[in-house]
Amino acid sequence: MKLRKVSAASAAVLALALTATACGGDDKDSGSSGDGKKITIGIKFDQPGLGQKTPDGYAGFDVDVATYVAKKLGYTEDQIEWKESKSADRETMLQRGDVDFIAATYSITPERQEKVDFAGPYLLAHQDVLLRADDSKIKSPEDLNDAKLCSVTGSTSAQNVKKELAPKAQLQNYPTYSACLTGLQNGAIDALTTDDSILAGYASQDQFKGKFKLGGFKMTNENYGIGVKKGSDLKAKIDTALEEMVSDKSWDKAVKDNFGPANYKNEPAPKIGDIKS
């Protein structure tokens, strides 16, 4: 009787082991092929035109780029797990392995390159200003002197303009970019500054179409790259995917789809490894 109990238990353990082997467990296959497993990608959830979580899913230029890359890595759209990557968390998320890669207005900088690797760049953005469509006074960064410039809490963009280009600018602190847009629309502020791609994304929203324009000042270069864990072999694979996205014109389509309504004068697609200082 005792022998039968041990045998039954052993058989149960063996059955469980076989079942686990057949299922393959929950381990992610970091970018080799889509074989039923998931790839986890970090994006912004709150940046219209770039990375935004909507009732219908996820939308924006970064989302389109990341989806294209994932497909080239062998994953279908339903195998992508999207994870919010806030600016302050990006390096940590990659280092911990929370995500396979991040496409989230992630500017390539020497400081960040010490912690993570970057594929790309896939977009060259610039710090710019957003103005009311009928504004005829602000034609250069110097014209921001004495103007009310929106500063989003936690952002250094407006402070940089005041320090370097327009020392007499009047900084107005707002909690979000959306609040800045409302202030710009009703005349409480004169200009909003951050990356031109981000400004174009906000201005492209249905409720703001035709109401704003970009200044076109190109005050800095922001090289957006796709972040991966230091030493990851995904970097080379993603670089190849980005080159294919440009060559088959999918990149141009993504720019038009996401930034077109704001008349965004985008730079040509950057060459892999060409980081503008």
Side-chain angles (χ1 to χ4, degrees):
M1 180 69 79
K2 187 175 183 180
L3 180 59
R4 289 194 189 95
K5 288 181 178 178
V6 172
S7 298
S10 299
V13 170
L14 178 60
L16 286 171
L18 290 172
T19 300
T21 301
C23 291
D26 294 324
D27 293 337
K28 289 184 298 180
D29 183 7
S30 297
S32 57
S33 63
D35 54 4
K37 298 178 183 178
K38 297 283 187 180
I39 185 166
T40 305
I41 303 173
I43 57 170
K44 293 290 182 67
F45 278 14
D46 59 353
Q47 285 188 339
L50 287 151
Q52 186 178 28
K53 185 176 182 179
T54 74
D56 299 320
Y58 300 89
F61 181 73
D62 285 347
V63 175
D64 288 349
V65 171
T67 301
Y68 184 98
V69 168
K71 286 182 178 179
K72 289 298 181 179
L73 294 175
Y75 293 89
T76 58
E77 287 191 43
D78 61 0
Q79 291 175 315
I80 298 173
E81 178 183 347
W82 301 105
K83 185 165 286 191
E84 184 174 19
S85 297
K86 296 180 179 179
S87 296
D89 300 332
R90 290 177 298 202
E91 285 84 35
T92 302
M93 292 178 72
L94 287 169
Q95 291 167 341
R96 284 194 314 228
D98 296 341
V99 292
D100 292 298
F101 67 81
I102 290 177
T105 59
Y106 204 178
S107 294
I108 302 171
T109 67
E111 294 78 16
R112 289 169 178 165
Q113 286 177 305
E114 293 179 2
K115 301 176 182 178
V116 301
D117 286 338
F118 285 96
Y122 64 91
L123 184 71
L124 176 60
H126 306 281
Q127 186 177 344
D128 200 356
V129 294
L130 194 68
L131 309 166
R132 285 184 293 278
D134 61 356
D135 186 290
S136 59
K137 296 180 180 179
I138 300 175
K139 298 178 180 179
S140 71
E142 290 73 23
D143 293 332
L144 294 169
N145 279 305
D146 297 320
K148 295 186 287 291
L149 183 64
C150 187
S151 177
V152 175
T153 304
S155 170
T156 60
S157 297
Q159 287 86 343
N160 290 340
V161 171
K162 183 176 177 65
K163 180 179 178 181
E164 303 292 338
L165 300 169
K168 294 181 181 179
Q170 302 173 34
L171 297 188
Q172 307 288 316
N173 292 310
Y174 282 69
T176 65
Y177 288 117
S178 295
C180 281
L181 285 168
T182 300
L184 185 58
Q185 186 175 0
N186 63 28
I189 62 169
D190 299 310
L192 161 62
T193 185
T194 188
D195 295 358
D196 53 8
S197 58
I198 296 174
L199 295 173
Y202 277 101
S204 294
Q205 296 177 95
D206 289 340
Q207 68 268 37
F208 295 131
K209 285 180 181 177
K211 296 180 180 179
F212 304 118
K213 65 181 179 182
L214 288 162
F217 297 161
K218 297 184 178 181
M219 293 179 279
T220 63
N221 291 327
E222 305 296 337
N223 303 272
Y224 289 176
I226 292 182
V228 298
K229 191 173 184 178
K230 198 76 174 173
S232 172
D233 62 357
L234 274 181
K235 179 183 183 300
K237 296 176 182 179
I238 294 173
D239 279 339
T240 298
L242 292 173
E243 288 176 334
E244 293 176 3
M245 186 176 189
V246 173
S247 64
D248 69 14
K249 305 299 182 183
S250 296
W251 187 91
D252 295 303
K253 182 179 185 303
V255 170
K256 184 177 180 180
D257 289 347
N258 293 290
F259 302 130
N263 295 317
Y264 176 46
K265 304 289 193 299
N266 64 282
E267 297 279 3
K271 295 189 180 301
I272 299 301
D274 183 14
I275 301 171
K276 304 294 186 185
S277 58

